[in-house]
Amino acid sequence: MTKFSGFSILKHAFTGHKNWTAQWPESQPKDEYDVVIVGAGGHGLGAAYYLAKEHGITNVAVVDKGWIGGGNTGRNTTIIRSNYLYDESARLFDHAVDLWQGLSQELNYNVMYSNRGVLMLAHTVHDIQSFKRHIHANRLNGVDNQWLTTEECKAFCPPLNTSPTARYPVLGGALQKRAGTARHDAVAWGYARAAASRGVDIIQNCAVTTIRRNSNGSVAGVETEKGFIKAKKVVVSAAGHTSGIMQTAGINLPLESYPLQAFVSEPIKPIFPCVVMSNAVHAYISQSDKGELVIGSGTDQYTSYSQRGGLPLIEHTVAAISEVFPTFNRMRMLRKWGGIVDVTPDRSAIVSKTPVQGLYVNCGWGTGGFKATPGAAHTLAWTVAKDEPHPINAPFSMERFRTGRLIDEAAAAAVAH
Ligand code: FAD
Ligand code: PYC
């Protein structure tokens, strides 16, 4: 194999998360990996961890064009819930919620999972009917979700404006008590450290440009901006950038990439006890442990790879939050950012083998993949190790766009797209 300079591999002894790249001497990747994972977000790093821990596959490299957790994992608003309508989604997201409960202990890293409850507000008769349908479906699947009256919503979330004269009156809400938040980048760091301690190489600042195939069509490895890395299996888990990478292997995926923005207020004393989402008003809000109000809404209206997004959406979102929480309308907003999310036609993820032997893909999580991180990673590792779908991720194969067996999950979005 040609040797390249400029690779920087995180070796298994690392203990902190600051200046990782700077702390570790440059070293060469191995001559060949059993598995190369493209994308060091929570999903890719988590898959590497479960490959090592549950399947004994440790000759693994995770390659990222930037830094650990620098993609959507480190940019999202961390809402974790499993109140999805369809059986397939409920199983997948509830598997993730189960794993979230013990993740800090599992990784010996505090991911600050906080099941403070997620309340989805109903403002119209349609909302009431739709949320009650979700509640019934969830209960049949063993997923907790309950209906709250307007008064119960106010008791659960005191800053909420429940005046009947409000422009969007609160007519009730669906509460998932087990749902909540976590610390976004800690999840990536936790998985990275735990995977590295089992021998996984993490290669930062190294964009993958092409997936190379053998003459028999099977996967040969990845071409990167720093050289070729040979691999028996390749997993692409690059969120908003997946379709371009997969095209280099001859696979076209039904994905569109959009900016999704969020912002935080100045920090204030604890005032907001839960997470509140409103599809009708089009915004959601929680309070971080640092005291900032964390606010977001839907994707920008245009496809783009800009990790900033446009101003009109931010303005719209602030207006929406001020409608439901007038008490916040004189607060200062501190900073905003964006990430690139990839969405499928049915708004459900793709976790799948591909027609290329040895190539796997995990994408299409759109605006809602953070909550799935442990569940997606856990089942993806199974698929890669055994070269077969896991019973939970099987319905999410790319085959469904051929067969038409879609999982048309509008609840994948916290708010309307
Ligand atoms: P990422 O964390 O994006 O990791 C992919 C990695 O691939 C990145 O680090 C990137 O640098 C790397 N990469 C890309 N191209 C290449 C290449 N060519 N070579 C090498 N590496 C490459 N979900 C929720 O469940 N709840 C929420 O509240 C929520 N809020 C959100 C708010 C915002 C503002 C955003 C942007 C997203 C939100 N999401 C939310 C969605 C969630 O963040 C994502 O679905 C999830 O984090 C995806 O994780 P990942 O590991 O697949 O992707
Ligand atoms: O999926 O719950 C969600 C979500 C909230 C904000 C963005 N996505």
Side-chain angles (χ1 to χ4, degrees), residues 173-186:
L175 171 65
Q176 185 177 23
K177 274 199 163 163
R178 211 160 67 104
T181 56
R183 176 155 176 195
H184 45 20
D185 40 8

Side-chain angles (χ1 to χ4, degrees), residues 38-43 63-65 71-73 75-79 206-208 237-239 241 245 260-262 284 337 339 341 365-371:
V38 184
H43 289 221
V63 187
D64 201 287
K65 71 180 169 113
N72 293 340
T73 301
R75 293 164 186 268
N76 84 95
T77 46
T78 85
I79 295 176
C206 181
V208 168
S237 182
H241 306 275
I245 302 172
L260 178 63
Q261 305 184 61
Y284 60 88
W337 65 92
V341 300
W365 289 97
T367 60
F370 178 72
K371 66 176 83 64

Side-chain angles (χ1 to χ4, degrees), residues 109-150:
Y109 202 107
N110 190 357
V111 301
M112 297 171 80
Y113 177 65
S114 155
N115 51 345
R116 57 188 65 181
V118 172
L119 177 62
M120 291 178 144
L121 299 179
H123 301 281
T124 62
V125 172
H126 171 82
D127 282 350
I128 295 175
Q129 290 170 345
S130 163
F131 291 164
K132 288 194 171 171
R133 183 177 175 215
H134 277 74
I135 290 170
H136 297 316
N138 286 165
R139 287 192 173 172
L140 288 171
N141 275 314
V143 174
D144 76 296
N145 199 355
Q146 68 191 87
W147 179 253
L148 298 192
T149 62
T150 307

